[in-house]
Structures are given as structure tokens and as C-alpha cells.
Amino acid sequence: MSSRFFATGSDSESESSSESEEQTVVQSKSTVTTKVFAFSDDEEETKRVVRSAKDKRFEELQNVIKQLRNHKKIKDISKVLETFEDLTKALQKSQKVIEKEGGVPRFYIRALVELEDFVNETWEDREGRKKLNKVNSKALTTMRQKLRKYNRDFEAKIASYRENPDAGDDQDGAEDDRDKSDSDDDDDDEAQQQKKKPAAPAEAPDMKSQFLKGGDSEGSDDSDMDWPSDSDSESSDSSEPEGGYTNMAAKFLKKTTAAEEAAKAARKQEKKERKAREQRREEEEREMEEGEWTEVQRGAPMAMEKPKMFAKGTEINHAVVLKKLNEILAARGKKGTDRSEQIMLLAELRRIAEENNLGLGMTVKILFNIVASIFDYNPNIATCMKDEMWAKCITYITEMMDILIDNSNIFVGANVLEESEAIEAEPFRVRGCILSVMERADEEFIKMLQACDAHSTEYVERLKDEKKIEVLVVRLQKYLEERGTSQEICRVYLRRIEHVYYKYDYEHYKSADLIKKTVEQKVEEGKDGEEEVKDGEEVKDGEDEGKDGEVTPQEKGGQEAKDMVDGEKQKEKTAVIMDKLCKYIYAKDTTDRIRTRAILCHIYHHALHGRWYEARDLMLMSHLQDTIQHSDVPTQILYNRTMVQLGLCAFRYGNIKDAHNALLDIQSGGRAKELLAQGLLMQRNVERDPEREKIEKRRQMPFHMHINLELLECVYLVSAMLLEIPYMAAHEFDARRRMISKSFHHQLRVSERQPLVGPPESMREHVVAASKAMKIGDWRACRDYIINEKMNGKVWDLFPEADKVRELISRKIQEESLRTYLFTYSAIYDSLCLVTLSSMFELDGPVVHSIISKMIINEELAASWDEPTQTVVMHRSEPTRLQNLALQLSDKLANLVDNNERILEVKQGTSAFYTRQGEGRFGRQGKERHQGKERHQGQGGYHQQQGRGYQGQRRDRGDRDRDHRDRDHQQGYNRQQDRW
């Protein structure tokens, strides 16, 4: 409605409006509607400008380049990458314009050069790269690769620009300043338009003179006090749409003079200049700060002002410093407290105390508070400490340890009350526990490792700090051995054990290998010396008797090797250290947790270094397998890790059954990764609580303490193969055959379901293929599937003594393949020659003889040895295949009869009944089991209270049968005695 009203341009009741005027108003309607709502001078009229395609595309490119420069200033590399991709897309859109103009514009080449320099500088700044977060670090690598590839298309132009970068500055400046000049040009155009508007009526004086009285153009500008006549108002109303007013709103708006417009333009110009000066000043400050940003602290500002240390002229003494210390600590833990400022204040207070020689007691007390403030700097317990705070923490703890070790007159302890502290005079007594500080620092170190990406350089850099932690723990151990209690010594011993138990002593392994080679070499030299003596002249008996005290070359070599072994035993530091620390804890500890963890770490260390019997005996004597379920979760995780390492040690020793039993619980459920705290498993139908997930993440082991899960699974599957395949061959037709390893059977079933089985690729496929080869007695194919280059790289080379492990596996495969062959083909052969078996499986004759003898003794093989001919004679007491099938059919029929009887009982409603032969609903197989169950029931059973029920009858009948059997046995024994 408002547009119609303002578009009419004159009063509807005016009688003097002519037909030509109406036509003029209608024609001007389309031009006026765009300015209907211009009610204020502050809202400037917009002017439509027709721009070329080149200007549009180049402006789009310049806007993207401007964004790119802004992101580079704040070093937001992820945004730089996104903007660079937008820039390349914008250039693709502008290809037609660029082809017409003759090539890529120079300002675009300059942007590429600047971006390349920025990426190179950031990449070369190694310290700055370490401070980047994960997203920016990844974006920097991607940006560097993409930019290198992209700049290959512009190599010539980039090279020419780098040779003479100032050649096109005028053009570049014009392109860059185009945006800045646009607003100024718009202002100038508007000013010129406003100047032209009052002169518009003068261009048509004849037309205006027809409607104005006296032809005076100023006749319409009457003052407010003068009242015009009707004709004047009519003529003015009809002439105003064609004159200075473009709509009815402009007629009633306040008119601005030229002075006001000039002042307004001056104010705008001043505002622009002020804004430009502020931007230049901010850029200069950023350059001076070298791109560093100040992080805004979260939370409300501190309620109190920053306290001054001491007023001028104040005497610095213990009371004043303690008062100031309490003032600083009073703000600790409050919501608005600036934690970094609190640490700075405490450090400044320590400096003042040292300058005024207030004693070491005051210094230690302030150091305790500084370290506690650093621990409180991060309020979230789930996140780790920052790098700079960690460096400060280690520095202060080291200084504290230096003071406590060098000065025996300082006593610190958590049991020292604040009232009983002695800071002013020796001996100093300070409240604080250095052991708790060290334990908290160790926990923070573990959290920092958990927060790092395990495959990044950051993790390696952070892991280097473990040496500092170990040095501090060793120094604390020496300090507490002199001044601490037995419980504190046990705690620090456990802390050191947990830093040692999982590390393999490679120096010991190398020295042991060197000792073995040296011993063999010395023994060989001794044998050569003896042979030379025998080949030479004969030695007289008298000379031999005179040389009884001399040492032969063989004895000399053995003695040197023994001395070398004794020397290396002294150097075997980790084993000696673990033995010493753990035995002290076994004797002195009063808590179950520390002792349990020490035992588990000791077993783990034994198993890691191949001391199988020590590790096994310690595990059996501790009886931890019976009580571990009552321990806390971290201790249960340590128990799982120990059992896994024990199984790997048993496998290296050739104890396949022990290895399988140790790994069974961890591998059977498919949750080895979670049970060993090496990662979280996503379960399908289980939703994790966020709090519980955070707790589980805090329990995860650092990456350098992980056990290789693929190695673990391979050892378990190979152990199961060596046990399961001979067992399956021995009980091929047994319907009640049990499974030794369910996961191994699952892998076999998965392989059998596949319609087309190709060559093995993964570790599991190699084990399955080896199992199929062992079934048919092809031990060479089985060995080749288990031991090859691919399996060596994935699994076997990870063992410390890889060659020995491979030899052991090869020998075990030969032995178990022999047993499988005998179980499979014993029903076919009447006899087997020992020499043939030995050559077939490439085993020594005594080894084959031993294996077959054990099978005969354990009643696994019905055969006997024929010693003169060295053959194994089969007795054929085992049922044939047809007999086995008949036995299976009879068992199934018996089960079917029992099921039918149970269904009949349910229908008739009877609980139990027996026939004359003593058979009932339990069937022939369950009769004796039911009798045994009733025989072991209490004397006050329900059936016995009812009188001589069926249980009593069955018991009487069983007693009579037993008496008859005993009498028959006694009579037979007596007849045998008489025959003798």
C-alpha cells in the first residue's frame, strides 16, 4: 500500500491536474519504486553498476587470496588448506576469462609464491611444528604435498616472479587496491549525483515556465510563514514530481546543506583512516610477537588484585614469608584463581626467601607447594599435563631431591603437623611426602604417553623422559633406604620394579650368546691340544706323574669360560635388581596389593628372559590364580599380561601343552586386546557409558609396553594345532570327542566352508593350511606353511632367539606329524619299520623309538616292539570303520529311547519308575549315575522318611551285588593262592 501511495506523486482531489501530467506520473512510477523507503540521510541510495566478467572473476580470486592471507597470519593451517582448495576451484571457474586476458594474473602467481614460502618456513621450523596440534600437523603435510604438485603447472611464471618480483607492482597494487577504491568511488558518484539533482529543472526552463507563476524557479521555495494561493499549491503539486523530488517522501524529509555533506564525508574519511592506523598497529604488534598468541584463561577473573610481594622497606623474615605464602595458597582451588599466576607468585616468593637467606627449610616448603600447584594446574583428571608444565615439574622435583639428599638435617613426612614444623632452625621439619610427589609425577607421565599418538615422533620425544623418571626413582630409593620406613621402601621398590619388569635385557642376551660361543671355542681348542699331544711322542709315566699339577688345554679353556660366565653374572643387573627388590617386598610388605604386584612383575621378568622353571614355580607357589579375582582391575590386567608372557616362555621352551593352557583364557573369548588393556573393543549390542569409557581409557597401557597380539594369536593357534590334530586323528570316530581349542576349530570350519581355497595370505590361513597338511602326515608342507619369509617377518623374528624357536617348531611338527601318521594308518598296516619311519620324518632312530614307546605305554597305540627286526607290530584291537559306525548308531538309538521315555513320563505325570531290570527314565547310561547321586544324598531324605522307597530298594540291591562281587574276587584269589 505504501508504494502505491508514494507512487501517485499528487493529490487525487486536485482539479488542475492535466492529462499530460498523469501520463508523466505513470511513466516515472517504475523508476521511483526502488527509492520508496529511503527515509533517512544515513541510508545511502544504492547504484547499480554493470561489471565485466573479468572484474567479477578477478574480484572473487582476490577475496579468496585475502582470506588466505588472514589464515596465514594466525597460522591456522587447516583453514589455509581449505582456502587453497577454494582458490584452485575459483581459478578453474575463471579459465575462460584468463584465456582471453592472455594468462594467469600476476597477483595469483604472487599468492602462490607467498603460500609456498609460508609452508616451507613452517615446515623447517621443527620446534614450531612440535607445538602444532594434530589437525594442523596433518594439514601441513597435506598442504605441502598438494602445493608442490600444483605449482608444477606454474613453474616458469613462479621462477620469473622470483627473479623480478617488483616488475608488476603497479599492476598488483591496482588489483589489490581495487576493493579499497570501490567504496571511495561510490561516495564520489553519490556526491556528484546529489550536485546534479538541483540543476535538473534548469535544463527545461520552457516546460517549467508553463506551470510556475512569473517563470521564477524560486517561487516554490516559500517560507513557512507565507500561505500560498490555491493556484500556487496546485501548480507546485503538479510540478514537484518532475522537479527536485523523486517521491512524496523526499518532499517532507529534512534537507541537507553542502556544509553538512562535507562534514559527513570528512567524518567518514577520518573513520577510515583511524581504522587503517589501528590495523597497521595490530600487524606491527603481531610481527613483534612473532606470531605468538596469548591464550585467554577460562572462568571469571580473580576476585582479588595481584598481590604485591612486600611493601617497600618491609623486613623479610620467616613470619612475613609464611604469611604471604598462606595468602597465595588461600586462593588455591577457587573458581576465579589464575593457576599460572599462582605458580609464578610462588616461584617469586621462593626467590625472595633465598635472597634473604631464610634457610633450606623454607625453600623445601615452598617447593612442595609449587609442585602441588603444578599438579593442580590441570583441573581435569582425564587429561594430561602440558609440556611446559611437565618440564617445570621435573625441574622442581629434581631440585627438591638434591636438597634432601645433600642435607641430612631436613626431615620431611606426611605425618608432620603444621604446628610442629620447624623451618627457622636446624634440624628442619617440613610437612610433605616426597614419595607421594614422585608417584604422582609417574602417573602424570603415564597419562602423557596415553594421550600421545603412538606412531608419531611426539611419543618418541616424550618417551625420552622415562630416563629422567627412573633416575629420580633410583635417587629416591637411596634416600628412603637411609631415612624411610619399611612400608615407604616397599612402595618405592614397587615403583622401580614397574619401570624394569617389562624391559628385555638385550645386553645380557648378547653377552650370553658371546659366552656360549667362547666356551665352545675354548673347548674345541682344548680338544685340538689333546689330539696334538696324542699324535706326538709318547710321554713317560714318570713325566706324567711329574705333570699332575699342570692344567691341560681343555681344562684351561673351560676355566676361562667359567670365569667369563661368573663375570657376566655380576653384570646381569636387571635379574639381580628384580630379585633383590622383590624379596624385600615379600619379607617386609604388610599389604596384599604391593606383594601381589611384585610377584607378578617378578614372574613376568623371569618369563621374558626365558627362565621358564623359575617363573612357573613362582606362579604355582603364589596361588594367585585362586585369589586374583578379588584384586583391583589394574592388578588383574597385570596378571593377564603375566600369564601371556608365561605362555610365550613355555612355547619357546617346547612345552606346548603348558603354553596352550596359559594362553587359553586370554584367547578363547576373542577379547585379548581388551583384557591386556591395549585398546577398547567396539561391541555390537553393548553401549558403553561415557564415564566408564573414560575410566577404561585411563587404564590402557602405554604403547611401548604392549604385547604383539598377532604374535600371541599365532603362538596360540600353533600350540592348538600341535595338540588338536593328533587328538583328532586318534579319536576320529569317537562321538563324545571333546574340543581342546574352540577358536582353532572355528578357523578350520571357516576354511572348510569356503568354496575355493587359494594360497594362504594371513597368519590364520597359514596355520589352517599347515593343519590340513599335518592331517595327512605331510610334515614338510606343514613346516613350510608355518616357517617362511612372510611368517618370519610377522611373527618369528619378534622372538629374542628366533633361530632356536624356528628349530624347535620344526622338530615339534615332525614329532606330531609322526604321531598323527601312526594314529591315522595304524588300522591299515600290520607292522611298521623303525628305519622307514625315521627316514620318512627325518628323525633319529632313538627319537622315533621314544615317541612310539610313549604312545604304547599311555595306551594310545595298540602295538608292541619287535626288537630283532626293529619293527612295530600292530595288534588290530581297535575297531574298524564299520564297527565305529555301528557303535555310533547304537549310542544314538540309546539316546533316542531315553528321550522317548522322558516324553512318556511327562505325559503320564509320573516322576520316575523302574523296570525289573532296573532301567527307567535315566536309561542304561544314566542308571549308574542316578544311583551314585542317590547314594550320596543325606540320611534325612524325603524318600527315606516315607519308608522303604525305591531308593532303599536300589541301595539294598546294590549292596547285595557288591557283596557277591567281593566274595567272588576273594574266592578267585584263594584259588590262585592254592594253585601257586
Side-chain angles (χ1 to χ4, degrees):
M1 294 297 294
S2 60
S3 63
R4 290 181 182 178
F5 175 75
F6 288 111
T8 55
S10 63
D11 189 3
S12 62
E13 296 178 358
S14 177
E15 297 175 358
S16 62
S17 59
S18 63
E19 191 174 2
S20 62
E21 292 174 353
E22 292 178 359
Q23 292 177 358
T24 306
V25 170
V26 171
Q27 290 175 359
S28 62
K29 182 176 180 180
S30 61
T31 61
V32 174
T33 53
T34 59
K35 300 181 181 180
V36 169
F37 296 98
F39 291 104
S40 174
D41 291 338
D42 297 335
E43 300 178 5
E44 300 176 355
E45 296 179 355
T46 59
K47 181 181 178 182
R48 184 176 179 184
V49 180
V50 179
R51 306 179 66 186
S52 63
K54 172 190 172 183
D55 294 340
K56 290 181 181 178
R57 295 303 180 186
F58 280 18
E59 183 181 3
E60 183 180 358
L61 289 173
Q62 288 171 355
N63 291 335
V64 178
I65 291 172
K66 186 177 179 181
Q67 294 178 5
L68 187 64
R69 288 172 180 164
N70 291 336
H71 294 321
K72 285 193 295 183
K73 287 178 183 179
I74 62 174
K75 292 188 177 180
D76 191 352
I77 302 177
S78 60
K79 293 293 183 182
V80 169
L81 178 59
E82 294 178 5
T83 313
F84 172 70
E85 293 174 353
D86 296 339
L87 183 62
T88 56
K89 293 177 182 177
L91 185 69
Q92 291 177 358
K93 292 180 182 178
S94 309
Q95 284 297 329
K96 294 182 179 179
V97 176
I98 291 172
E99 290 175 0
K100 291 180 181 179
E101 295 297 327
V104 180
R106 189 175 176 83
F107 67 86
Y108 187 84
I109 300 298
R110 184 178 65 180
L112 292 180
V113 172
E114 292 176 355
L115 181 59
E116 185 177 8
D117 295 340
F118 169 76
V119 171
N120 292 335
E121 290 175 4
T122 309
W123 185 265
E124 291 171 0
D125 185 11
R126 296 183 179 274
E127 297 297 330
R129 259 198 298 162
K130 293 177 183 177
K131 295 179 182 179
L132 294 177
N133 56 21
K134 186 177 180 181
V135 177
N136 283 341
S137 179
K138 186 177 180 180
L140 178 62
T141 307
T142 308
M143 182 73 215
R144 185 165 174 260
Q145 295 174 353
K146 285 189 175 182
L147 188 62
R148 277 185 178 180
K149 186 177 180 181
Y150 186 75
N151 284 356
R152 292 174 187 170
D153 300 334
F154 307 98
E155 286 181 354
K157 295 185 178 181
I158 290 174
S160 63
Y161 179 85
R162 289 189 182 277
E163 290 175 0
N164 192 7
D166 300 330
D169 281 351
D170 297 337
Q171 180 184 354
D172 295 340
E175 297 291 346
D176 291 341
D177 295 338
R178 181 174 296 173
D179 294 336
K180 298 181 181 178
S181 62
D182 285 344
S183 60
D184 297 337
D185 294 342
D186 293 341
D187 295 340
D188 295 342
D189 294 341
E190 291 172 5
Q192 291 176 5
Q193 187 177 0
Q194 290 177 359
K195 290 178 182 179
K196 291 178 181 178
K197 283 181 181 178
E203 294 177 0
D206 298 337
M207 185 182 294
K208 199 161 187 177
S209 63
Q210 295 176 5
F211 300 100
L212 295 177
K213 282 188 176 182
D216 189 5
S217 61
E218 297 178 355
S220 62
D221 295 337
D222 296 333
S223 63
D224 296 337
M225 299 298 295
D226 297 333
W227 292 92
S229 61
D230 295 338
S231 61
D232 294 338
S233 62
E234 290 173 3
S235 60
S236 62
D237 291 342
S238 62
S239 62
E240 279 171 359
E242 297 179 0
Y245 303 112
T246 57
N247 54 20
M248 286 296 295
K251 178 178 178 180
F252 302 99
L253 292 178
K254 182 180 178 181
K255 299 182 179 63
T256 59
T257 61
E260 291 177 352
E261 290 177 356
K264 184 177 179 182
R267 285 196 300 271
K268 287 183 178 179
Q269 186 66 24
E270 183 181 358
K271 188 175 180 181
K272 289 181 180 179
E273 292 177 356
R274 190 187 313 118
K275 191 172 182 180
R277 285 196 301 271
E278 290 177 357
Q279 290 179 353
R280 285 195 298 270
R281 187 170 59 253
E282 290 177 359
E283 290 177 359
E284 290 175 359
E285 290 176 357
R286 287 177 192 153
E287 291 176 359
M288 292 294 292
E289 295 174 359
E290 296 180 352
E292 295 182 359
W293 292 79
T294 303
E295 183 179 357
V296 179
Q297 300 295 333
R298 189 174 64 179
M302 292 183 65
M304 61 177 185
E305 297 180 358
K306 181 180 178 180
K308 297 179 180 179
M309 281 292 116
F310 302 103
K312 189 176 181 180
T314 304
E315 182 182 358
I316 307 299
N317 53 27
H318 291 84
V320 174
V321 173
L322 281 177
K323 183 179 179 182
K324 183 58 66 177
L325 177 62
N326 292 330
E327 288 179 4
I328 297 172
L329 296 179
R332 179 181 174 187
K334 293 185 179 179
K335 186 176 181 181
T337 303
D338 189 350
R339 297 180 180 88
S340 59
E341 185 179 358
Q342 194 176 33
I343 296 171
M344 293 170 58
L345 293 176
L346 289 172
E348 180 67 16
L349 186 63
R350 177 206 172 188
R351 185 186 63 79
I352 294 173
E354 290 179 349
E355 287 179 354
N356 291 273
N357 298 323
L358 298 184
L360 295 175
M362 180 62 71
T363 302
V364 172
K365 183 174 179 61
I366 297 175
L367 282 174
F368 269 117
N369 289 285
I370 291 175
V371 174
S373 299
I374 291 174
F375 287 145
D376 292 343
Y377 181 79
N378 188 9
N380 190 358
I381 193 173
T383 57
C384 65
M385 190 183 293
K386 294 184 178 179
D387 295 347
E388 57 272 14
M389 288 297 165
W390 170 252
K392 289 182 181 179
C393 180
I394 292 296
T395 303
Y396 286 125
I397 293 176
T398 305
E399 293 178 4
M400 200 187 315
M401 288 297 304
D402 293 338
I403 295 173
L404 293 177
I405 291 174
D406 296 339
N407 300 274
S408 59
N409 56 352
I410 302 177
F411 176 76
V412 295
N415 55 353
V416 177
L417 301 177
E418 293 185 0
E419 295 81 6
S420 61
E421 283 185 329
I423 300 175
E424 299 180 5
E426 297 182 2
F428 300 111
R429 291 175 59 85
V430 182
R431 177 177 175 81
C433 183
I434 185 64
L435 178 58
S436 299
V437 170
M438 194 64 241
E439 289 176 343
R440 177 68 186 275
D442 196 9
E443 292 172 0
E444 290 292 335
F445 175 69
I446 297 298
K447 285 201 293 186
M448 292 176 71
L449 291 177
Q450 291 172 347
C452 294
D453 183 8
H455 304 285
S456 64
T457 56
E458 181 186 2
Y459 188 89
V460 178
E461 292 295 328
R462 186 58 53 223
L463 192 59
K464 292 179 182 178
D465 291 337
E466 188 182 16
K467 189 66 178 176
K468 301 177 183 178
I469 296 291
E470 288 186 6
V471 171
L472 289 175
V473 171
V474 172
R475 298 183 66 191
L476 180 62
Q477 173 189 337
K478 295 179 180 178
Y479 172 77
L480 291 178
E481 284 175 351
E482 298 176 358
R483 310 177 197 179
T485 61
S486 60
Q487 193 59 30
E488 290 177 340
I489 294 174
C490 290
R491 286 168 60 188
V492 73
Y493 277 3
L494 179 63
R495 189 62 56 177
R496 189 176 181 191
I497 287 170
E498 289 179 346
H499 279 279
V500 173
Y501 81 96
Y502 62 90
K503 296 176 182 176
Y504 186 80
D505 192 355
Y506 283 97
E507 295 297 330
H508 170 63
Y509 166 65
K510 293 177 182 177
S511 61
D513 193 21
L514 179 63
I515 291 169
K516 183 178 179 181
K517 292 180 180 178
T518 306
V519 170
E520 293 176 354
Q521 183 179 359
K522 295 292 183 182
V523 171
E524 291 295 331
E525 290 177 359
K527 290 181 179 179
D528 295 340
E530 285 185 357
E531 291 176 0
E532 291 176 1
V533 171
K534 290 179 180 178
D535 294 338
E537 299 178 354
E538 295 181 357
V539 182
K540 297 181 180 179
D541 295 339
E543 293 177 355
D544 291 340
E545 292 176 359
K547 295 180 181 180
D548 287 341
E550 296 181 3
V551 181
T552 63
Q554 184 177 0
E555 293 176 354
K556 184 177 180 181
Q559 186 65 30
E560 291 178 1
K562 184 179 179 182
D563 295 339
M564 181 177 261
V565 171
D566 294 338
E568 291 299 330
K569 282 184 178 179
Q570 294 177 359
K571 294 180 183 178
E572 194 179 15
K573 292 182 179 180
T574 55
V576 175
I577 290 171
M578 288 291 296
D579 191 63
K580 173 189 171 184
L581 301 180
C582 292
K583 285 182 178 179
Y584 184 89
I585 293 176
Y586 301 159
K588 301 290 184 180
D589 180 57
T590 57
T591 62
D592 291 336
R593 185 178 184 275
I594 294 178
R595 185 171 60 253
T596 301
R597 292 187 68 85
I599 292 172
L600 291 173
C601 292
H602 203 183
I603 296 170
Y604 190 103
H605 191 266
H606 280 316
L608 184 64
H609 290 81
R611 296 186 286 270
W612 157 248
Y613 295 105
E614 291 89 339
R616 183 199 62 182
D617 295 343
L618 188 57
M619 175 62 78
L620 295 176
M621 287 189 296
S622 63
H623 296 285
L624 289 177
Q625 59 271 19
D626 300 330
T627 60
I628 193 63
Q629 67 271 14
H630 303 297
S631 302
D632 56 337
V633 176
T635 305
Q636 293 182 17
I637 293 171
L638 180 59
Y639 175 80
N640 293 338
R641 287 167 52 82
T642 303
M643 289 302 298
V644 164
Q645 200 60 244
L646 198 62
L648 295 177
C649 179
F651 184 81
R652 294 201 303 271
Y653 259 79
N655 301 322
I656 304 300
K657 191 171 184 179
D658 293 331
H660 181 269
N661 292 336
L663 300 176
L664 180 61
D665 293 336
I666 303 297
Q667 288 293 130
S668 58
R671 297 172 55 230
K673 187 176 183 180
E674 189 173 359
L675 293 174
L676 297 176
Q678 295 182 185
L680 299 178
L681 293 176
M682 299 302 296
Q683 299 178 0
R684 293 182 179 177
N685 301 324
V686 178
E687 293 185 2
R688 275 199 179 88
D689 185 24
E691 294 297 327
R692 183 175 180 82
E693 187 172 356
K694 289 180 182 178
I695 294 173
E696 290 182 359
K697 284 184 178 179
R698 288 201 296 268
R699 292 173 182 157
Q700 299 302 305
M701 305 299 295
F703 182 74
H704 68 284
M705 299 174 66
H706 283 192
I707 299 172
N708 193 305
L709 295 178
E710 190 171 12
L711 167 68
L712 185 62
E713 185 178 8
C714 181
V715 169
Y716 173 74
L717 290 178
V718 171
S719 302
M721 178 191 74
L722 295 175
L723 295 175
E724 192 76 58
I725 298 300
Y727 181 81
M728 291 170 62
H731 301 81
E732 184 178 1
F733 305 106
D734 190 356
R736 291 185 293 273
R737 182 181 64 194
R738 62 183 179 86
M739 287 189 295
I740 298 176
S741 173
K742 291 184 179 180
S743 59
F744 178 74
H745 276 273
H746 174 70
Q747 298 298 331
L748 291 179
R749 285 194 297 270
V750 169
S751 177
E752 290 173 357
R753 290 196 198 106
Q754 294 180 357
L756 180 62
V757 180
E761 295 181 0
S762 64
M763 178 270 299
R764 296 177 181 176
E765 292 176 356
H766 277 85
V767 176
V768 171
S771 303
K772 292 180 179 179
M774 183 181 283
K775 275 185 179 180
I776 60 176
D778 190 359
W779 68 271
R780 291 184 182 85
C782 178
R783 181 196 60 188
D784 294 339
Y785 281 127
I786 296 296
I787 302 173
N788 51 55
E789 293 183 0
K790 186 180 290 187
M791 292 291 286
N792 289 341
K794 286 185 176 181
V795 179
W796 307 124
D797 288 341
L798 301 178
F799 281 108
E801 299 176 352
D803 295 333
K804 292 183 179 179
V805 174
R806 282 190 282 264
E807 292 176 4
L808 174 67
I809 294 171
S810 179
R811 183 169 55 83
K812 285 292 180 181
I813 287 174
Q814 289 172 289
E815 294 176 359
E816 297 303 325
S817 298
L818 172 61
R819 296 180 74 243
T820 306
Y821 183 83
L822 291 174
F823 284 135
T824 305
Y825 299 106
S826 60
I828 299 173
Y829 292 102
D830 292 331
S831 63
L832 289 170
C833 181
L834 178 63
V835 178
T836 304
L837 293 175
S838 179
S839 61
M840 184 184 298
F841 293 94
E842 295 183 5
L843 291 171
D844 296 336
V847 175
V848 176
H849 192 282
S850 174
I851 293 172
I852 298 175
S853 299
K854 288 179 181 177
M855 295 174 67
I856 295 172
I857 293 171
N858 295 330
E859 297 181 358
E860 295 176 345
L861 185 65
S864 61
W865 277 109
D866 187 9
E867 291 296 339
T869 59
Q870 289 293 308
T871 57
V872 185
V873 180
M874 303 298 174
H875 293 171
R876 289 190 178 276
S877 61
E878 297 178 1
T880 62
R881 181 177 179 81
L882 180 61
Q883 292 173 345
N884 283 319
L885 292 175
L887 290 174
Q888 291 180 15
L889 179 62
S890 63
D891 290 338
K892 289 180 181 179
L893 290 174
N895 292 331
L896 181 62
V897 171
D898 292 340
N899 292 332
N900 290 335
E901 290 179 355
R902 292 193 189 99
I903 294 171
L904 183 61
E905 291 172 6
V906 172
K907 287 183 178 180
Q908 293 179 353
T910 56
S911 60
F913 64 92
Y914 285 90
T915 60
R916 246 173 348 112
Q917 288 78 14
E919 299 173 4
R921 67 184 179 93
F922 296 95
R924 289 188 295 273
Q925 297 177 357
K927 179 178 65 176
E928 294 297 331
R929 183 170 64 251
H930 183 71
Q931 291 177 4
K933 182 177 178 182
E934 292 172 349
R935 193 176 296 118
H936 288 89
Q937 286 181 351
Q939 296 296 324
Y942 171 76
H943 294 288
Q944 289 183 357
Q945 292 177 6
Q946 298 297 325
R948 301 291 294 176
Y950 68 90
Q951 291 188 21
Q953 296 174 6
R954 294 298 302 158
R955 188 177 296 111
D956 294 342
R957 188 180 303 162
D959 293 341
R960 288 196 300 270
D961 295 341
R962 186 170 56 253
D963 293 340
H964 290 313
R965 284 197 302 272
D966 294 342
R967 187 172 63 252
D968 294 340
H969 284 306
Q970 186 65 32
Q971 292 175 359
Y973 176 75
N974 294 333
R975 287 195 298 271
Q976 188 71 19
Q977 291 289 339
D978 296 339
R979 189 179 302 111
W980 288 346

